[in-house]
Amino acid sequence: MRRKGDLPVKTCAQCGRPMVWRKAWAKTWDEVKYCSDRCRAEARSRRGKPEAGTPGGRRS
């Protein structure tokens, strides 16, 4: 049995929090980017929106 401190750790691409390996992620650990469904949904919703401080479609 492994101790929790010995498990691999990644940083969430959305919120920046550390996430520890879970057995449910065993087969897809290399593909895991987000710590939760909420972070995944926020990342998807921000992809299509323009960045703050840039005009949202207006051209001069």
Side-chain angles (χ1 to χ4, degrees):
M1 188 170 205
R2 287 183 161 186
R3 285 188 263 167
K4 193 171 184 176
D6 296 337
L7 295 173
V9 178
K10 283 187 177 184
T11 303
C12 177
Q14 179 63 29
C15 67
R17 293 181 181 159
M19 53 184 173
V20 179
W21 183 90
R22 299 179 188 171
K23 189 171 183 177
W25 292 337
K27 293 181 182 178
T28 60
W29 178 245
D30 293 333
E31 300 164 12
V32 173
K33 295 181 184 178
Y34 307 107
C35 64
S36 65
D37 291 335
R38 180 180 178 180
C39 282
R40 183 181 6 261
E42 286 181 8
R44 285 182 182 172
S45 69
R46 290 183 187 215
R47 253 192 258 164
K49 295 182 181 178
E51 292 183 26
T54 59
R58 289 187 155 184
R59 294 183 184 176
S60 39

